[in-house]
Coordinates of all heavy atoms in Angstrom, one line a residue:
T1004 N 105.3 -304.5 -183.7 CA 106.1 -304.8 -184.9 C 106.9 -303.5 -185.3 O 106.5 -302.4 -185.0 CB 105.3 -305.2 -186.1 OG1 104.3 -304.2 -186.3 CG2 104.6 -306.5 -185.8
V1005 N 108.0 -303.7 -186.0 CA 108.9 -302.6 -186.5 C 108.8 -302.6 -188.0 O 108.9 -303.6 -188.7 CB 110.3 -302.8 -186.1 CG1 111.2 -301.7 -186.7 CG2 110.5 -302.9 -184.6
H1006 N 108.5 -301.4 -188.6 CA 108.4 -301.2 -190.0 C 109.4 -300.2 -190.5 O 109.7 -299.2 -189.8 CB 107.0 -300.7 -190.4 CG 105.9 -301.7 -190.1 ND1 105.5 -302.7 -191.0 CD2 105.1 -301.8 -189.0 CE1 104.5 -303.4 -190.4 NE2 104.2 -302.9 -189.2
T1007 N 110.1 -300.5 -191.6 CA 111.1 -299.6 -192.1 C 110.5 -298.5 -193.0 O 111.3 -297.6 -193.4 CB 112.2 -300.4 -192.9 OG1 111.5 -301.1 -194.0 CG2 112.9 -301.4 -192.0
M1008 N 109.2 -298.6 -193.2 CA 108.6 -297.5 -194.0 C 107.4 -297.0 -193.3 O 106.5 -297.8 -192.8 CB 108.2 -298.1 -195.4 CG 109.3 -298.5 -196.3 SD 108.8 -299.1 -197.9 CE 108.1 -297.6 -198.6
S1009 N 107.2 -295.7 -193.2 CA 106.2 -295.1 -192.4 C 104.8 -295.5 -193.0 O 103.8 -295.7 -192.2 CB 106.3 -293.5 -192.5 OG 107.5 -293.1 -191.8
M1010 N 104.6 -295.6 -194.3 CA 103.3 -296.0 -194.8 C 102.9 -297.4 -194.4 O 101.7 -297.6 -194.2 CB 103.3 -295.8 -196.4 CG 103.0 -294.4 -196.9 SD 101.5 -293.7 -196.2 CE 100.3 -294.8 -196.9
L1011 N 103.9 -298.3 -194.3 CA 103.6 -299.6 -193.9 C 103.1 -299.6 -192.4 O 102.2 -300.3 -192.0 CB 104.8 -300.5 -194.0 CG 105.2 -300.9 -195.5 CD1 106.4 -301.8 -195.5 CD2 104.0 -301.5 -196.2
A1012 N 103.8 -298.8 -191.6 CA 103.4 -298.6 -190.2 C 102.0 -298.0 -190.1 O 101.2 -298.5 -189.3 CB 104.4 -297.7 -189.4
Y1013 N 101.7 -297.1 -190.9 CA 100.4 -296.4 -191.0 C 99.3 -297.5 -191.4 O 98.2 -297.6 -190.8 CB 100.4 -295.3 -191.9 CG 99.1 -294.5 -191.9 CD1 99.0 -293.4 -191.1 CD2 98.1 -294.8 -192.8 CE1 97.8 -292.6 -191.1 CE2 96.9 -294.0 -192.8 CZ 96.8 -292.9 -192.0 OH 95.6 -292.2 -192.0
Q1014 N 99.6 -298.3 -192.4 CA 98.7 -299.3 -192.8 C 98.4 -300.3 -191.8 O 97.3 -300.8 -191.6 CB 99.2 -299.9 -194.1 CG 98.2 -300.9 -194.8 CD 96.9 -300.2 -195.2 OE1 96.9 -299.0 -195.7 NE2 95.8 -300.9 -195.1
A1015 N 99.5 -300.7 -191.0 CA 99.4 -301.6 -190.0 C 98.4 -301.1 -188.9 O 97.6 -301.9 -188.3 CB 100.7 -301.9 -189.4
A1016 N 98.5 -299.8 -188.6 CA 97.5 -299.2 -187.7 C 96.1 -299.3 -188.2 O 95.2 -299.6 -187.4 CB 97.9 -297.8 -187.4
L1017 N 95.9 -299.0 -189.4 CA 94.6 -299.1 -190.0 C 94.0 -300.5 -189.9 O 92.8 -300.7 -189.7 CB 94.6 -298.7 -191.5 CG 94.7 -297.2 -191.8 CD1 94.9 -297.0 -193.3 CD2 93.5 -296.4 -191.3
E1018 N 94.9 -301.5 -190.0 CA 94.4 -302.9 -189.9 C 94.2 -303.4 -188.5 O 93.9 -304.6 -188.3 CB 95.5 -303.8 -190.6 CG 95.7 -303.5 -192.1 CD 94.4 -303.7 -192.9 OE1 93.6 -304.6 -192.5 OE2 94.3 -303.0 -194.0
G1019 N 94.5 -302.6 -187.5 CA 94.3 -302.9 -186.1 C 95.4 -303.7 -185.5 O 95.2 -304.4 -184.5
H1020 N 96.7 -303.5 -186.0 CA 97.8 -304.3 -185.5 C 98.4 -303.7 -184.2 O 99.2 -304.3 -183.5 CB 98.9 -304.4 -186.6 CG 98.5 -305.2 -187.8 ND1 99.3 -305.4 -188.9 CD2 97.3 -305.9 -188.0 CE1 98.6 -306.1 -189.8 NE2 97.4 -306.4 -189.3
G1021 N 98.1 -302.4 -184.0 CA 98.7 -301.8 -182.8 C 98.6 -300.3 -182.8 O 97.9 -299.7 -183.6
L1022 N 99.3 -299.6 -181.8 CA 99.3 -298.2 -181.7 C 100.4 -297.6 -182.6 O 101.5 -298.1 -182.6 CB 99.6 -297.8 -180.2 CG 98.4 -297.9 -179.2 CD1 99.0 -297.9 -177.8 CD2 97.4 -296.8 -179.5
F1023 N 100.0 -296.5 -183.3 CA 101.0 -295.8 -184.2 C 101.1 -294.4 -183.8 O 100.1 -293.7 -183.4 CB 100.4 -296.0 -185.6 CG 101.2 -295.2 -186.6 CD1 102.4 -295.5 -187.0 CD2 100.5 -294.1 -187.3 CE1 103.1 -294.7 -188.0 CE2 101.2 -293.3 -188.2 CZ 102.5 -293.7 -188.6
L1024 N 102.3 -293.8 -183.8 CA 102.5 -292.4 -183.6 C 102.3 -291.7 -184.9 O 103.2 -291.7 -185.8 CB 103.9 -292.1 -183.0 CG 104.0 -292.2 -181.5 CD1 105.4 -292.0 -181.0 CD2 103.1 -291.3 -180.8
G1025 N 101.2 -291.0 -185.1 CA 101.0 -290.3 -186.3 C 100.7 -288.8 -186.1 O 100.4 -288.4 -185.0

Side-chain angles (χ1 to χ4, degrees):
T1004 56
V1005 177
H1006 296 274
T1007 58
M1008 296 181 66
S1009 296
M1010 274 306 297
L1011 292 178
Y1013 186 91
Q1014 187 62 37
L1017 287 172
E1018 300 296 333
H1020 296 176
L1022 283 165
F1023 171 68
L1024 274 177

